[in-house]
Amino acid sequence: MPSEFALIERWFKRPTRHTVLGVGDDGALIRPSDGCELVVSTDMLVAGTHFFPETDAEDLGWKTLAVNVSDLAAMGAQPRWALLAAALPAATESWLERFARGFFACADAFDIDVVGGDTTKGPRNFCVTILGEVPRGCALLRSGAQSGDDIWVSGRPGRAALGLAQLQGRVVLDEPTAVDCLMALHRPQPRVALGLALRGLASAAIDVSDGLLADLGHVLSASGCAATLRLDGLPDSAIERECLLSGGDDYELVFAVPASRRSDVRALTDRLALPLTLIGAVEAGEAGSIRVMDAAGHPVEVGCRGFDHFL
Amino acid sequence: MPSEFALIERWFKRPTRHTVLGVGDDGALIRPSDGCELVVSTDMLVAGTHFFPETDAEDLGWKTLAVNVSDLAAMGAQPRWALLAAALPAATESWLERFARGFFACADAFDIDVVGGDTTKGPRNFCVTILGEVPRGCALLRSGAQSGDDIWVSGRPGRAALGLAQLQGRVVLDEPTAVDCLMALHRPQPRVALGLALRGLASAAIDVSDGLLADLGHVLSASGCAATLRLDGLPDSAIERECLLSGGDDYELVFAVPASRRSDVRALTDRLALPLTLIGAVEAGEAGSIRVMDAAGHPVEVGCRGFDHFL
């Protein structure tokens, strides 16, 4: 079996494009751009909790990085550098090769230098730390939403959860829908371009990792506001509705924008070739509370808002 | 059981001292000092691989951060920010309270803001990412050692490995030695002050995490040099000798300094109240190779150089 150092050399050491010193010393050296703040975030993915042990290694490599990129997108930051720490039960070369291929495909897609990491033996676990840049004072925070703001969501949330439900045998989707939903589950597309475009436009933003209502709730709690959602075209089936409202793992952005700038957001849909849907409004009220209405204005019952690892 | 968010709020959200935005958004916001580069490093600690499951939680909290601080010390960087991702089999409040106490004790000791993290369910695993600052071009690298440099080591390496051997029943230490070695194992003291003092003085540095010979070997390989060590007072017992030469987990610094500046290093011993021992010299030769001699100049047989997770 190859050594830890050989593994790192072979699969995780690649040329960098904007880094002073990458993998191979006690730490990496990076030089932030003048006038910028750094956004830094870390996420841990655990076999059995975040992914099935049998998940395709290449998909998993992509997703491991993509979920971190999404955190930067939600802050309006430009992703720049990432580190990967991995615990592996054994150093299976073919598995690692495929994982690395997916991981670096995502790194290349978003021009991210992989500058460091750690490889150790243990139950399969991946921990990525990502760093990005944003001009001083321009980061999108959760805490800036104000009464009167529109609430928007990108893409078509709920698909990843529906894909998971299909894998779990809780729903049977037609073939094209299944393919689409499994793609959303396995190859999430972080909304970096949208996050950058929302600088100076959105008053608050978050990515949907725990569930649409749960994550919107975080924004509202941090902003001291409430919201009413008015959802057109709510699916009839209970499970599809649950996936839409409470399904995690989508990595779309939910964001608040002053109603006066509605046309600016609509213009982004075309520029980014990405659906952006107006789903409700921020209002005064109990911090974090959300009322959900259907298109006819009738209240919709909501069960669990989202996912919590320890509940 | 408390929720993931309640856990983070209760144990891992503390006021920060030099951070724009800490725990609680999609990422933290930090503002690097003008003229500085950032050093960033990540380390993963796994139950059963890096620590015994029954390790005291407070000790483990300290060590989880300390081993990362040590990486910055080895680069000559000032530690500034850290993130902690943790997988836990269950959210045991009392255990987490103790872990957090040790973790923040280390953060406070080195003036580190804990700015983010992640909490998830899974086999016990901790991944820390640490960020520090160093004036541009002043970082200590592994690659700068040159023929003619002295090789120095701080403290008394081998103690942590000896403490581990005691726990494993492979050696029986007298009481004061056991206490001393277990302290080295459980509460390593990263050599930050030394690292800062070595800026502009050392030509290369590394921390001893895998073993004295293994880590010195990394420096020599990166520098394209060989070395001869001349070790006074080598212990007679095979296990003590093995711990000294190949034992990991000490987090002392091994560093190369031009022989012309020997007195500057000796002066540091007093200023830092830290033993600094001259153990050998860098020389031309096969990159990474090390000859070990005893005080009388007789060659010493060396078995394994250090630890590798996948060998």
Side-chain angles (χ1 to χ4, degrees), chain B residues 22 36 50 61 82 87 101 150 155 182 200 204 208 218 231 233 245 253 282 306-307:
Chain B
C36 277
H50 298 90
R101 196 186 302 154
D150 289 336
L182 289 173
V208 181
H218 298 324
L231 299 172
L245 295 174
L253 298 188
V282 180
F307 188 74

Side-chain angles (χ1 to χ4, degrees), chain A residues 153-176:
Chain A
V153 68
S154 67
R156 291 171 290 131
R159 292 186 303 143
L162 213 51
L164 181 64
Q166 163 95 359
L167 289 180
Q168 293 169 329
R170 295 195 295 130
V171 71
V172 178
L173 304 172
D174 62 66
E175 178 75 16

Side-chain angles (χ1 to χ4, degrees), chain A residues 25 31 37 121 129 142, chain B residues 25 31 37 49 129 142:
Chain A
D25 213 298
R31 192 171 294 173
E37 289 170 341
K121 196 162 192 158
T129 300
R142 296 181 179 183
Chain B
D25 213 299
R31 192 170 295 170
E37 289 170 341
T49 302
T129 300
R142 296 181 180 183

Side-chain angles (χ1 to χ4, degrees), chain B residues 241 245 292 299-303:
Chain B
R241 196 175 281 216
L245 295 174
V292 183
V300 174
E301 276 295 315
V302 176

Side-chain angles (χ1 to χ4, degrees), chain A residues 30-209:
Chain A
I30 62 178
R31 192 171 294 173
S33 305
D34 290 338
C36 277
E37 289 170 341
L38 282 180
V39 182
V40 54
S41 176
T42 191
D43 260 308
M44 187 174 257
L45 276 81
V46 181
T49 303
H50 299 91
F51 58 88
F52 296 113
E54 66 271 22
T55 300
D56 176 75
E58 195 172 335
D59 283 344
L60 189 59
W62 172 280
K63 185 164 177 174
T64 298
L65 184 54
V67 301
N68 281 275
V69 175
S70 178
D71 282 320
L72 294 199
M75 303 280 290
Q78 178 70 54
R80 297 273 283 160
W81 302 279
L83 299 95
L84 169 67
L88 303 166
T92 314
E93 288 271 345
S94 60
W95 195 94
L96 272 179
E97 182 189 358
R98 288 181 58 75
F99 182 88
R101 195 186 303 156
F103 192 87
F104 281 98
C106 186
D108 291 343
F110 295 98
D111 194 23
I112 293 167
D113 276 356
V114 179
V115 297
D118 192 16
T119 322
T120 182
K121 196 162 192 158
R124 210 176 288 276
N125 181 315
F126 301 98
C127 185
V128 170
T129 300
I130 193 158
L131 296 112
E133 295 185 308
V134 64
R136 285 188 189 184
C138 293
L140 305 175
L141 308 186
R142 296 181 179 183
S143 55
Q146 297 199 330
S147 180
D149 284 351
D150 288 336
I151 300 171
W152 297 82
V153 68
S154 67
R156 291 171 290 131
R159 292 186 303 143
L162 213 51
L164 181 64
Q166 163 95 359
L167 289 180
Q168 293 169 329
R170 295 195 295 130
V171 71
V172 178
L173 304 172
D174 62 66
E175 178 75 16
T177 306
V179 168
D180 182 54
C181 290
L182 289 173
M183 195 72 183
L185 179 65
H186 293 310
R187 294 271 174 161
Q189 301 295 320
R191 301 306 185 189
V192 172
L194 174 60
L196 297 176
L198 290 177
R199 287 180 189 167
L201 178 58
S203 51
I206 195 169
D207 66 326
V208 181
S209 55

